[in-house]
Amino acid sequence: MNKQAETRYPIHDLLATRWSPRAFDDRAVALETLGSLFEAARWAASCFNEQPWRFIVATREQPEEFDRILGCLVEPNQAWAKQAPVLVLGVAKKSFAHNGNSNAHAWHDLGLATAGLTVQASALELYIHAMAGILPEEARARYQIPEDYDVVTAFAIGYIGDADRLPEAAKEQELAPRERRSLAEQVFSSGWENPADFSK
Ligand SMILES: Cc1cc2nc3c(=O)[nH]c(=O)nc-3n(C[C@H](O)[C@H](O)[C@H](O)COP(=O)(O)O)c2cc1C
């Protein structure tokens, strides 16, 4: 399925071809490939180089571990994510290692690391589907995640699959057109909500 971004200005193919599928192929993701994805995350920028992101990964080849992460997702996400070959929990450390102060940008930096991973995934013809619909306290209990860490997201990783494999509600979302606010609504100059010259 082609859900390529319709852009007003040209962007790199790695970004234009990215989208968040719910239907994944059964094809496994090689461990070397997973290594590349998390290496890309590792080299993200972060506030004070804190690197506050932590990831917990499970593949379908490890059924018990896969179910452990699956059980940390809300039911509507479980319905499609159970078909993905890899599931990941995204966790952020809330305080700085160097002084113990609160790190207000920990979630930002987890997002930045996940974005790097997502671009690397595009380069390897893999897709990522992020989820806020998780059960953070269930994850904390299942993995004994310390209080100084927030369980922020989960994401599925895999190769594109056939939308016909999805439950009806998820299939509808899979086939829906992609939408975005205009650049003018997002990029300002000289004043709040005043579109920049190139975003008008
Ligand atoms: C932080 C975050 C949380 C999300 N949570 C969910 C979720 O719980 N369930 C879901 O089906 N999609 C979830 N999504 C996917 C978004 O709905 C999707 O990225 C958005 O609709 C834009 O579509 P696109 O990624 O295909 O361009 C999430 C995405 C992000 C970045």
Side-chain angles (χ1 to χ4, degrees):
M1 192 167 20
N2 178 8
K3 293 191 77 166
Q4 176 127 354
E6 286 174 19
T7 63
R8 181 173 153 200
Y9 294 105
I11 63 172
H12 199 286
D13 261 3
L14 293 178
L15 302 169
T17 55
R18 184 215 65 81
W19 63 285
S20 304
R22 290 175 176 81
F24 289 98
D25 196 76
D26 283 331
R27 181 178 163 194
V29 182
L31 293 184
E32 278 287 310
T33 305
L34 282 179
S36 291
L37 297 183
F38 287 97
E39 191 70 46
R42 179 175 168 233
W43 285 97
S46 63
C47 186
F48 279 108
N49 199 20
E50 172 66 33
Q51 306 155 63
W53 50 82
R54 305 287 185 272
F55 298 105
I56 301 174
V57 188
T59 69
R60 283 241 300 274
E61 286 94 79
Q62 313 160 281
E64 265 182 40
E65 288 308 315
F66 188 86
D67 284 349
R68 192 134 77 118
I69 296 192
L70 193 65
C72 300
L73 310 183
V74 298
E75 210 289 318
N77 283 335
Q78 285 194 27
W80 56 264
K82 67 183 177 200
Q83 292 183 348
V86 184
L87 290 178
V88 181
L89 286 174
V91 178
K93 185 175 188 299
K94 294 194 284 185
S95 67
F96 284 111
H98 70 278
N99 61 7
N101 287 349
S102 171
N103 179 0
H105 296 90
W107 287 37
H108 172 280
D109 291 349
L110 169 65
L112 204 52
T114 307
L117 180 152
T118 303
V119 174
Q120 184 65 40
S122 282
L124 298 167
E125 294 180 358
L126 280 160
Y127 290 80
I128 306 294
H129 194 135
M131 288 167 263
I134 60 170
L135 305 169
E137 289 317 310
E138 184 65 32
R140 190 180 299 288
R142 288 181 181 215
Y143 291 98
Q144 295 173 329
I145 298 170
E147 277 305 316
D148 191 32
Y149 293 78
D150 280 335
V151 186
V152 181
T153 49
F155 54 93
I157 305 176
Y159 298 95
I160 283 284
D162 187 348
D164 284 336
R165 300 181 64 188
L166 290 170
E168 207 45 48
K171 186 174 166 183
E172 233 170 78
Q173 292 169 304
E174 191 82 342
L175 301 175
R178 297 176 66 207
E179 287 173 2
R180 286 299 186 270
R181 294 185 211 285
S182 67
L183 275 182
E185 289 173 275
Q186 299 182 341
V187 188
F188 312 144
S189 178
S190 336
W192 184 245
E193 294 190 343
N194 187 48
D197 283 344
F198 64 87
S199 73
K200 277 179 191 144

